[in-house]
Each structure stands twice: as structure tokens, then as C-alpha cells.
Amino acid sequence: MYSEKVMDHFQNPRNVGEIENASGVGTVGNAKCGDIMRIFLDIDEKGVIRGAKFKTFGCGAAVATSSMATELVKGKTVEEALQVTNQAVMEALDGLPPVKVHCSLLAEEAIHAALWDYAEKQGIVIEGLEKPRADIHEGEEL
């Protein structure tokens, strides 16, 4: 049912934890399944993502997509990270079952929410970035 890569990222997730004084933090959730995902980004003065970490409360697919999403954005510019889609996350994991596609959407939304937070803190506009939904609010326990 799950690919070897999904199982690997679930059993051995990369980049778990928080980044203190993160450049951007994005928290998203899916009320239907109860998954909550928070992504922390450390972005340098040139707009390159030096580090990414996550905290996720949810199923194995939510953990795996969080892990892969953080791997995909590290070393990328803010603009490049904005192009990391749920499809890219799924492809990097060699696919997800149809009932778990929403987890990859959460990963994409969490990246975008963290980039939005970064842009707000910097007082900049990132072309193509939209304000995230307000389902989950910063500061809520995870």
C-alpha cells in the first residue's frame, strides 16, 4: 500500500523538531482527519533556506510528507520553495494511496504558510504566494 520511501520517511523522519527564532513558521491542519502540520524555516539574508524542521500530529503519511517536504525545500531559494507542490512531494515519495493525497496537500500548504510568515516578518511580498487559510492559528499546541 505504501512505497518504501513513504515507510522510510515515516519510520526515520528527517528534520523533526523546531527551529528557535525561525525565519518563518507555518501551521496547517485538516479537520476531517485531524492531521496538524507545523513547518519551521531558517532563511538566510539572501533568501536561501538553510534549514527546515517539522512537528506533525497525524498519520504515518502526514509524517512522511512533512519529512519529505522539509528535505525538498532545504537549500532552495524562497521562490524555488514556493514551487514545491504536493505533486512534487508525492513523486519524491514514489506515490501515496488516493486516500492519503490530502497529506501531501497539507505539506504544500505548510510550506506556503511558513513562507507567508517569513514574508510578513520581513515586510516583503513573495510573488505568487497567497495568504494561508486560517484554520489553525500560530501558538496552538501541537
Side-chain angles (χ1 to χ4, degrees), residues 1-11 64 68 89-97:
M1 181 161 165
Y2 290 110
S3 72
E4 284 184 33
K5 282 189 182 176
V6 171
M7 293 305 296
D8 182 40
H9 275 268
F10 167 62
Q11 294 172 334
M68 182 56 80
V89 172
M90 285 194 301
E91 286 173 10
L93 288 169
D94 294 336
L96 287 172

Side-chain angles (χ1 to χ4, degrees), residues 7-8 13 15 19 23 26 39 41 48 51 59 61-62 64 69 73-74 82 86 96 100 102 109 122 125 128 139 142:
M7 293 305 296
D8 182 40
N15 312 307
I19 296 174
S23 307
I39 289 187
L41 299 176
V48 175
C59 66
V73 299
K74 285 194 307 186
L82 186 57
N86 75 300
L96 287 172
K100 296 298 181 178
H102 69 276
E109 289 174 9
Q122 297 296 312
V125 172
L142 192 61

Side-chain angles (χ1 to χ4, degrees), residues 27-31 105-106 109-110 113 130-137:
T27 305
V28 297
N30 182 317
L105 288 166
L106 277 180
E109 289 174 9
E130 296 179 13
K131 186 173 183 171
R133 296 180 292 126
D135 295 349
I136 304 291
H137 300 283

Side-chain angles (χ1 to χ4, degrees), residues 13-98:
R14 284 64 152 180
N15 312 307
V16 175
E18 298 181 28
I19 296 174
E20 281 196 41
N21 303 313
S23 307
V25 180
T27 305
V28 297
N30 182 317
K32 280 188 202 170
C33 65
D35 293 335
I36 301 172
M37 193 176 292
R38 181 171 291 157
I39 289 187
F40 302 81
L41 299 176
D42 176 22
I43 303 170
D44 71 16
E45 60 284 342
K46 294 181 181 174
V48 175
I49 298 171
R50 287 187 288 225
K53 291 194 175 216
F54 77 92
K55 287 179 77 175
T56 293
F57 180 84
C59 66
V63 171
T65 56
S66 301
S67 174
M68 182 56 80
T70 58
E71 286 289 283
L72 291 174
V73 299
K74 285 194 307 186
K76 291 192 171 7
T77 66
V78 166
E79 292 76 15
E80 290 168 335
L82 186 57
Q83 304 307 312
V84 173
T85 64
N86 75 300
Q87 192 65 37
V89 172
M90 285 194 301
E91 286 173 10
L93 288 169
D94 294 336
L96 287 172

